[in-house]
Amino acid sequence: MKATALPHRFYQLAPCKGLIASVVKRFNRVNQDTSGNRNNTSDSGSRCANFNNTPWNSNWNISLRAAGGNCQTAMVQAAHYGPLVSLVYLLRQIHLEVRITASSENQKSGRRLFMGKKHKNLFQQIIAPANLYSAYRKAAKGKRHTRSHRQFAKDLEGNLQRLGHQIATGKYQPGEPRTFWVYEPKPREITAMPFPDRVAQHALCNVIDPIFDRVFLPQSYACRKGKGTHAAARDVQAQLRRVVEAGSKPWVLKTDFSKYFYSIQRDVLHQEFNRKIQCKPTLQLLETMVPPSGTGLPIGNLTSQLSANLYGHVVDRWLAHNIGSPWFARYMDDIVIVGECQHELAEIRDALESFAARKLGLRFSHWSIQPAARGVNFVGYRIWPSHKLLRRDSVTRAKRKIKHYVAHQQTSRLHRFLASWRGHAQWADSHNLIRSLGVA
């Protein structure tokens, strides 16, 4: 529990202003009495607290600083002062209520958190020959034996010049996509664009992806370099361990948005694009690929991945800046929030549901608040502070596929699947499972 000064709006929400004012006065005095010196960075923070200081032996330069302190030391300080420790939970709850209320008022008044400078003159980078060729190389990965790639590669230089000219003159229009369904882990319609459109999308994302990747918070793990499912599972486990090391039992709020890609409001999405991009031709190309009105994005497009991640960043930003929650992780529309208190997570859940519905048009399909001792189902793993296991449905699907490939003697497909699945399973405590399947 981190001892911080309480906001002024605390008094407006407190039912007993006189009593709470007295508590705040004592709370702030404890901060002054038990912490390091603001003027000395090496002796500042809760780790350098002096428990022998009395109120009359303090001065205005001595107070609690976040730098150099941690939750466990702050708890020891509060415990040293006896009755105050019983009030810390109440203060944190009211502080959370203040943040949620302030967040709601900011949304109503139209106040926004801006994302820094805007980027101009991007269009020439998009249509540059070197960028178009790089986009072709990326689009061709895994597609070299398809008919559309072979047709495009027959006259590669001419097709790239033609595509670049269409984009530069504003005449580019996406072709008719091909759609198909996948049924694992759940039924989804996938959209496959024609090969020239894949090249055009890569050319655009080569330039704008790094811009938005610098904006995304560290708690976002989907479709980013250096992130992914393994990093997400590892960092959630680290968050659980921090709570345990602080002497508390971790609780976890897990949420999942219903039909996430199909529920994205494109006008809100383009507002987020406009917050960072001020190059008119680039925004027009974006509107050609992602229409600025209506609802929903096709699953399978490169621009859809970036767009969905940017849409989820609005939730990340709200959690980090408005609620002040440091312990959370998001993989596209799956969010995990780690806390020390079930009731605090319930308040965050209610506020998050209201914010997502009002601002983004999203609603929960599933949510749960449970102790971490039951395991956290996230990115294909069941995560505890001490270990990780594969999810049961992942193991069931793997057994079914292995049995199918063996029965039909599809040796090459079996080897490809096992190479991929072992890479996923080895990030969990799955040694015995791999041995039992005979795929070690």
Side-chain angles (χ1 to χ4, degrees), residues 345-407:
L345 290 178
E347 292 185 10
I348 293 176
R349 189 212 74 85
D350 293 340
L352 175 57
E353 184 176 36
S354 175
F355 170 80
R358 182 181 66 254
K359 176 68 176 178
L360 304 174
L362 300 175
R363 63 180 182 86
F364 291 153
S365 59
H366 304 287
W367 67 269
S368 64
I369 299 176
Q370 59 184 13
R374 297 183 182 179
V376 183
N377 280 329
F378 188 52
V379 292
Y381 299 96
R382 297 170 61 205
I383 307 169
W384 287 266
S386 57
H387 63 286
K388 295 193 296 286
L389 298 177
L390 293 179
R391 291 179 58 174
R392 292 188 182 93
D393 55 352
S394 176
V395 176
T396 301
R397 287 198 302 271
K399 290 179 178 179
R400 187 187 308 129
K401 285 188 175 183
I402 292 172
K403 183 178 179 180
H404 173 80
Y405 293 147
V406 170

Side-chain angles (χ1 to χ4, degrees), residues 25-46:
K25 185 175 180 181
R26 289 190 61 195
F27 186 78
N28 290 335
R29 192 174 69 180
V30 169
N31 283 349
Q32 295 172 0
D33 296 344
T34 62
S35 302
N37 193 321
R38 282 182 182 272
N39 298 329
N40 190 339
T41 55
S42 62
D43 293 329
S44 63
S46 57

Side-chain angles (χ1 to χ4, degrees), residues 329-349:
R330 178 181 64 84
Y331 194 92
M332 205 55 79
D333 62 319
D334 291 345
I335 301 175
V336 166
I337 304 175
V338 178
E340 302 174 4
C341 173
Q342 178 182 9
H343 300 295
E344 184 175 321
L345 290 178
E347 292 185 10
I348 293 176
R349 189 212 74 85

Side-chain angles (χ1 to χ4, degrees), residues 113-175:
L113 290 171
F114 291 93
M115 299 166 66
K117 73 170 187 177
K118 294 189 176 184
H119 293 259
K120 305 177 182 179
N121 304 321
L122 302 175
F123 194 64
Q124 292 303 318
Q125 300 177 41
I126 295 173
I127 62 176
N131 182 56
L132 289 172
Y133 182 72
S134 172
Y136 158 74
R137 294 288 300 271
K138 291 181 178 180
K141 288 183 178 179
K143 304 291 182 181
R144 295 189 179 276
H145 299 293
T146 62
R147 180 184 300 175
S148 59
H149 169 262
R150 289 197 298 266
Q151 290 177 347
F152 192 88
K154 281 181 180 178
D155 183 15
L156 179 59
E157 184 176 355
N159 284 328
L160 288 178
Q161 289 180 352
R162 191 175 302 109
L163 179 62
H165 178 73
Q166 290 176 349
I167 296 174
T169 57
K171 296 180 180 179
Y172 168 75
Q173 290 295 327

